Amino acid sequence: MADYIVYRTRVSVITPLHIGSGNTLLHEYDYAIHEGRTWRIDEFSLLDAQDVDNPRMAEHLASTPPVQLLQPGDFKEDGHLFRYIIQGTPRSAAEGAEVQEQLKDYRDCPYLPGTSLKGALRTALAWHGWKQKNLKLDIAKLDRRREWAAQNFERDIFGATPNKSLLRALHVGDSQSVPADALMLLNVRVVNIDGKLSAPIELEAIRPDTIFESQMKFDWALFSEWARKQGLNLSGGEWLKSLGHIVNQHAQDRIAHELHWYKTLPNGGRLASFYERLSQSEMGEGRFLLQLGWGTGWEDKTLGSRLQANADFMERLIKDYRLTRGRRQRGDPFPKSRRVAMAYTRNPQGKIVGETPAYPLGWVLVEMTEKR
């Protein structure tokens, strides 16, 4: 076997994908709304266009939202005052309304970071490894720090240290960037199990049907005789050989659980139909479904159904780590809410007159082809 194998990785976005930059954009300060589109302001170019040597102008600039410095004629697609333009607008047009920014490169072009893709693969591998190693739930093995709670279980699955971890053999690169016109404005709400909706959350997101190209490498040298002589002794190499199959098994487990949840939701018809169709997707070797990014939920960031198989353990986990807010009775569903993209009905004047939970976030199709 070669020391390593490199795969071309093609990631096709199925439902809107948000991977946040950590920045919050403010209406009239970071972006403008004009003629049904959202215009991301280039703050430096806009400032350079002003007469900052005039003391009165400098004082005016200090107290004026940048959008108020713009004139109707400034809104040009090839103009220098805007970094990029997105079709559609946020629901709220109030000054200071917030939009969570999508991660982009230095040219304002979105890309898929390898850490996000590897993190989702890691979750699927951990879910599989739990069963393969016949691990048992033990509350005493949980780390008291919430963000590291499952650390000891993960060491049992992947290896005792990062240097001796199976994940050391899995390299996932950042994707090539895509043009800014792959962006969309997305309105997300949290929908509770009783169908009630929370306040809207506005996001930049990647449009469905966007394709990211990247590379993935399996480092087989770490499983060689040479590596064993170095004291590595990595296990789980067969999991990487069956990566597509493993990830699809995890995806189908998630899909079945989500389908059941949305079937019980009073306004979950569109989402249930989506998961029905997704469950019937035909996959194969090197071709698998995956959910990643923001909004995928607690179950897709943890061991998920492996933990929920033991009701007593889950109740203790929820209590000790304060995973819920407000009153909760033993046996109540957990988690009891989901983040979903909304669809809107508008009247002839453009006013929103109805809304429906429409799609989950972050589902992608990954296709791997060996690079020769």
Side-chain angles (χ1 to χ4, degrees):
M1 180 181 292
D3 286 347
Y4 61 87
I5 298 178
V6 177
Y7 294 90
R8 293 187 180 90
T9 308
R10 177 185 173 97
V11 181
S12 304
V13 178
I14 299 173
T15 63
L17 170 64
H18 176 75
I19 297 174
S21 69
N23 295 329
T24 299
L25 306 178
L26 302 180
H27 181 218
E28 297 199 359
Y29 295 87
D30 300 302
Y31 66 90
I33 296 173
H34 182 72
E35 293 186 347
R37 294 191 286 181
T38 302
W39 303 65
R40 177 71 165 92
I41 297 170
D42 187 324
E43 302 91 339
F44 297 108
S45 294
L46 184 59
L47 185 62
D48 287 344
Q50 312 306 312
D51 182 9
V52 294
D53 293 331
N54 183 329
R56 290 186 178 180
M57 175 57 72
E59 182 179 347
H60 176 66
L61 291 173
S63 59
T64 303
V67 75
Q68 294 182 18
L69 302 174
L70 295 167
Q71 302 299 319
D74 292 330
F75 290 89
K76 302 175 182 177
E77 292 190 11
D78 58 351
H80 67 286
L81 299 181
F82 302 98
R83 292 165 57 172
Y84 54 88
I85 306 165
I86 304 177
Q87 292 291 335
T89 64
R91 176 171 175 166
S92 175
E95 178 183 341
E98 298 182 351
V99 170
Q100 303 305 313
E101 185 182 43
Q102 175 76 21
L103 182 68
K104 310 178 193 73
D105 65 14
Y106 70 97
R107 299 169 301 165
D108 284 324
C109 293
Y111 70 98
L112 177 60
T115 51
S116 293
L117 182 54
K118 184 172 181 178
L121 296 174
R122 178 177 181 271
T123 297
L125 287 168
W127 179 86
H128 175 78
W130 179 280
K131 183 177 181 180
Q132 292 298 302
K133 296 200 171 189
N134 196 28
L135 298 183
K136 305 297 182 184
L137 294 169
D138 181 357
I139 204 76
K141 290 189 69 170
L142 294 176
D143 193 291
R144 301 314 303 168
R145 297 168 296 177
R146 181 170 173 172
E147 64 273 22
W148 299 104
Q151 180 176 247
N152 291 325
F153 291 123
E154 291 171 351
R155 287 171 175 167
D156 289 343
I157 295 169
F158 294 123
T161 67
N163 189 51
K164 297 182 178 181
S165 170
L166 167 67
L167 297 172
R168 182 180 172 187
L170 175 60
H171 303 261
V172 184
D174 292 345
S175 77
Q176 297 177 1
S177 57
V178 296
D181 60 11
L183 290 170
M184 64 183 296
L185 262 295
L186 191 67
N187 184 270
V188 173
R189 286 183 183 256
V190 174
V191 57
N192 290 309
I193 197 166
D194 59 4
K196 292 181 179 178
L197 300 170
S198 73
I201 304 169
E202 306 276 14
L203 307 170
E204 292 182 339
I206 304 298
R207 292 179 177 277
D209 298 324
T210 300
I211 295 173
F212 292 103
E213 303 278 357
S214 64
Q215 288 193 157
M216 192 182 303
K217 183 174 83 171
F218 295 170
D219 191 346
W220 296 122
L222 296 177
F223 300 93
S224 66
E225 182 63 28
W226 168 86
R228 285 189 287 273
K229 288 180 180 179
Q230 307 304 312
L232 289 180
N233 295 312
L234 299 188
S235 64
E238 67 276 10
W239 300 353
L240 295 185
K241 293 178 182 178
S242 302
L243 182 66
H245 177 67
I246 288 170
V247 178
N248 271 322
Q249 281 190 321
H250 179 251
Q252 287 302 323
D253 180 80
R254 290 269 299 128
I255 289 167
H257 191 79
E258 295 299 279
L259 176 57
H260 173 76
W261 197 87
Y262 284 113
K263 279 185 174 180
T264 66
L265 194 69
N267 50 0
R270 286 186 60 163
L271 284 144
S273 295
F274 168 81
Y275 277 111
E276 284 275 15
R277 295 192 299 273
L278 200 64
S279 69
Q280 298 167 10
S281 301
E282 293 187 8
M283 297 293 114
E285 185 177 353
R287 177 182 166 93
F288 52 86
L289 294 168
L290 195 65
Q291 192 179 22
L292 50 83
W294 182 89
T296 56
W298 177 86
E299 291 176 305
D300 205 57
K301 298 292 191 294
T302 67
L303 291 163
S305 61
R306 302 303 189 203
L307 303 181
Q308 293 177 327
N310 185 315
D312 290 336
F313 181 90
M314 273 303 302
E315 292 297 334
R316 179 72 180 273
L317 188 69
I318 293 167
K319 178 182 178 182
D320 287 358
Y321 290 90
R322 300 178 181 178
L323 299 181
T324 61
R325 297 179 181 178
R327 295 181 180 180
R328 182 179 186 278
Q329 299 295 322
R330 180 182 175 85
D332 285 350
F334 176 84
K336 66 176 183 179
S337 62
R338 301 290 192 274
R339 289 170 174 163
V340 297
M342 303 297 294
Y344 295 99
T345 304
R346 299 176 184 268
N347 64 17
Q349 290 72 44
K351 183 179 179 181
I352 295 173
V353 293
E355 58 182 337
T356 306
Y359 294 105
L361 304 178
W363 279 101
V364 301
L365 171 66
V366 182
E367 298 169 282
M368 295 170 54
T369 306
E370 187 174 341
K371 189 175 181 180
R372 300 182 183 279

